[in-house]
Amino acid sequence: MEKRFKVWVYKEGEPPLFHRGPQKNIYSSEGQFIDEMESPDQKFAAPHPDEAHAFFIPVSITNIVHYVYDPSHRDFGRERIQDLVEDYIKVVANKYPYWNRSGGADHFYVACHDWGPFATQANPKLFKNLIRVLCNANVSEGFIPTRDVTFPEVKVPPVNLNPPDFNRSKSTLAFFAGGAHGYIREVLLHHWKGKDSDMQVHEYLPKHVSYFEMMSRAKFCLCPSGYEVASPRLVESMHMGCVPVVISDAYPLPLGDVLDWTKFSVQLPVEKIPEMKKILEAIPMEEYLRKQREVWKVKKHFVLHRPSQPFDVFRMVIHSVWLRRLNVRLMQL
C-alpha cells in the first residue's frame, strides 16, 4: 500500500466548508486529516485523477456546523449539511467520470463531528457505496463496518499534536472524569461517583486537580460513550500507560481491521457497570501487565504526526480505506 496506493483530492469547493477543518480541540482529527491529505508533499497524492485508486471528498462537517448553523436560534436541522454534501457530489459526478463508474465506492470523506453520519442519510441511494470515515461510528445509526471506517478521535491540545505522555506508578484501580452526557455515563456516575476510593469516578474535577495526572495513576481508564459513541479517552489513556475500559453499545473500535482490542483493553457491556470493580479486580496481574505492555506498543498507531509517518493514525486510516477499496470492481469507462 505505501508504494502503490494513490488518492485524488477533489479541488472543487471553497474554504472554510471545504479543504479546511479544525486543527485543535475535540473534532480536530477531521481537520488534521484534511490538511495532511492536501499537503504539497503528500506521498499518497495522485498527480492526476486517472492515476488514483481512491478519491477524497474534502468536506468539513465541523466547519459546516460552525459557519452555517445558528445555535442562538436552536438551529439543529440536518438538511443543510445534507444539501451541501449532495450538491458537491453532483458537481464532481457531472464533471468527472469517477463517481459514476463505481457508484461512489472508491470515494471517501472524514468527519469527527457528532453530525458526521447524517451528511449522507437524506439520499441513501446516492451514498450507499460511499466510504465514510467517522469518529461517530455508531452501528445503530447506520454505520456499516465492512464499508465504513472508524476514525480514532484525537483531541489535539493547544500546544503539540498529541496528549502528553505520562508514566506514573499505579495507585488506583480505575479513573473517569466527565459530564453526564448520555445514558451510559449517567449509569456510570450513578453507581460509582464518589462511592469507592479505588474507583475514582468524577463528574467534574476540582480546578487544582490534573486530569492527566489522575488518569496516569490509574491501572484502568474508563472510556464510556457520551452523547455519541466515540471518546478521546481511548487515545488519551494510551498516552498515560493506562488500560482502556471500553463501555459502549454498537461501537466498532478504531483500526479493528488490524488490531485485536482484546489484547490491550477491557470491553465492558453497559449492564455490567454495577459489577465493574469486581470484574477489574478479577483480572490477574500477569494479564493486566500484558495488556499494559500492549497499550504502549499500539499507541504509535493512534499518534498524529505532521507530516505523517509510517504506522501513525493517518497511515492506519488510509490503510483501512485501502482495504475497502480492494473490494471495488470498476465499470469500464
Side-chain angles (χ1 to χ4, degrees):
M1 181 204 79
E2 287 274 335
K3 294 181 178 180
R4 298 185 60 187
F5 191 53
K6 297 298 179 185
V7 178
W8 176 257
V9 181
Y10 282 115
K11 312 305 180 188
E12 288 70 22
E14 297 292 335
L17 306 187
F18 299 89
H19 306 288
R20 189 182 299 164
Q23 300 291 296
K24 297 292 181 180
N25 217 326
I26 188 68
Y27 300 129
S28 49
S29 296
E30 177 183 307
Q32 291 288 342
F33 189 97
I34 293 171
D35 198 56
E36 176 67 23
M37 200 66 248
E38 301 210 26
S39 62
D41 300 324
Q42 178 49 244
K43 67 170 291 179
F44 294 104
H48 188 277
D50 285 347
E51 301 175 38
H53 305 101
F55 298 82
F56 179 53
I57 301 164
V59 61
S60 172
I61 303 301
T62 302
N63 276 6
I64 290 176
V65 174
H66 180 74
Y67 289 102
V68 175
Y69 284 77
D70 184 356
S72 66
H73 290 84
R74 299 190 62 80
D75 186 12
F76 301 133
R78 313 295 199 267
E79 293 80 8
R80 268 172 286 176
I81 291 177
Q82 295 162 348
D83 290 344
L84 281 164
V85 175
E86 186 170 339
D87 287 347
Y88 188 89
I89 295 302
K90 289 178 179 178
V91 167
V92 298
N94 288 329
K95 189 173 182 179
Y96 307 105
Y98 312 110
W99 177 276
N100 294 322
R101 73 180 182 182
S102 70
D106 52 0
H107 288 57
F108 69 102
Y109 74 99
V110 302
C112 270
H113 195 278
D114 292 352
W115 292 5
F118 303 126
T120 61
Q121 287 185 351
N123 194 337
K125 183 177 180 181
L126 177 65
F127 294 114
K128 67 177 182 178
N129 299 317
L130 174 66
I131 300 168
R132 304 178 305 163
V133 182
L134 303 174
C135 289
N136 182 16
N138 192 334
V139 172
S140 68
E141 294 178 354
F143 184 90
I144 302 174
T146 55
R147 180 198 65 190
D148 301 324
V149 175
T150 305
F151 197 176
E153 187 166 336
V154 180
K155 184 179 180 181
V156 177
V159 181
N160 301 320
L161 282 173
N162 299 283
D165 286 313
F166 286 175
N167 188 12
R168 302 285 194 267
S169 60
K170 306 303 181 184
S171 55
T172 59
L173 180 64
F175 170 75
F176 170 80
H181 302 160
Y183 82 96
I184 294 177
R185 292 197 194 178
E186 290 175 357
V187 173
L188 175 65
L189 291 166
H190 171 74
H191 282 282
W192 293 108
K193 177 185 172 184
K195 301 288 179 65
D196 191 313
S197 60
D198 287 336
M199 301 289 290
Q200 288 290 319
V201 174
H202 305 264
E203 188 165 3
Y204 296 105
L205 289 174
K207 290 185 177 180
H208 66 279
V209 176
S210 167
Y211 173 81
F212 287 128
E213 182 72 23
M214 291 283 289
M215 181 178 274
S216 70
R217 295 193 179 280
K219 292 172 65 177
F220 298 96
C221 288
L222 309 182
C223 305
S225 293
Y227 290 130
E228 301 297 346
V229 291
S231 170
R233 290 170 180 80
L234 286 178
V235 174
E236 291 169 347
S237 66
M238 295 177 187
H239 287 269
M240 304 298 120
C242 184
V243 175
V245 179
V246 184
I247 312 171
S248 184
D249 288 331
Y251 181 44
L253 290 163
L255 313 182
D257 297 318
V258 293
L259 298 181
D260 182 356
W261 278 80
T262 64
K263 292 183 177 180
F264 58 91
S265 72
V266 177
Q267 296 173 49
L268 189 77
V270 176
E271 61 269 20
K272 295 293 185 180
I273 287 176
E275 306 166 45
M276 183 162 46
K277 182 178 181 180
K278 184 184 299 184
I279 291 170
L280 297 180
E281 287 183 327
I283 296 174
M285 178 58 69
E286 183 180 348
E287 181 181 346
Y288 162 74
L289 292 173
R290 186 167 60 248
K291 286 180 181 290
Q292 188 187 42
R293 288 192 296 269
E294 289 296 317
V295 164
W296 288 118
K297 287 180 183 179
V298 302
K299 187 193 76 172
K300 65 181 180 181
H301 301 309
F302 297 87
V303 170
L304 282 167
H305 292 291
R306 299 297 308 274
S308 70
Q309 297 178 12
F311 304 109
D312 71 2
V313 67
F314 175 84
R315 301 287 181 95
M316 296 299 287
V317 169
I318 286 289
H319 179 262
S320 294
V321 173
W322 173 70
L323 289 177
R324 285 148 180 80
R325 172 60 183 82
L326 290 176
N327 295 324
V328 177
R329 177 175 294 179
L330 299 179
M331 297 169 55
Q332 292 296 319
L333 295 177

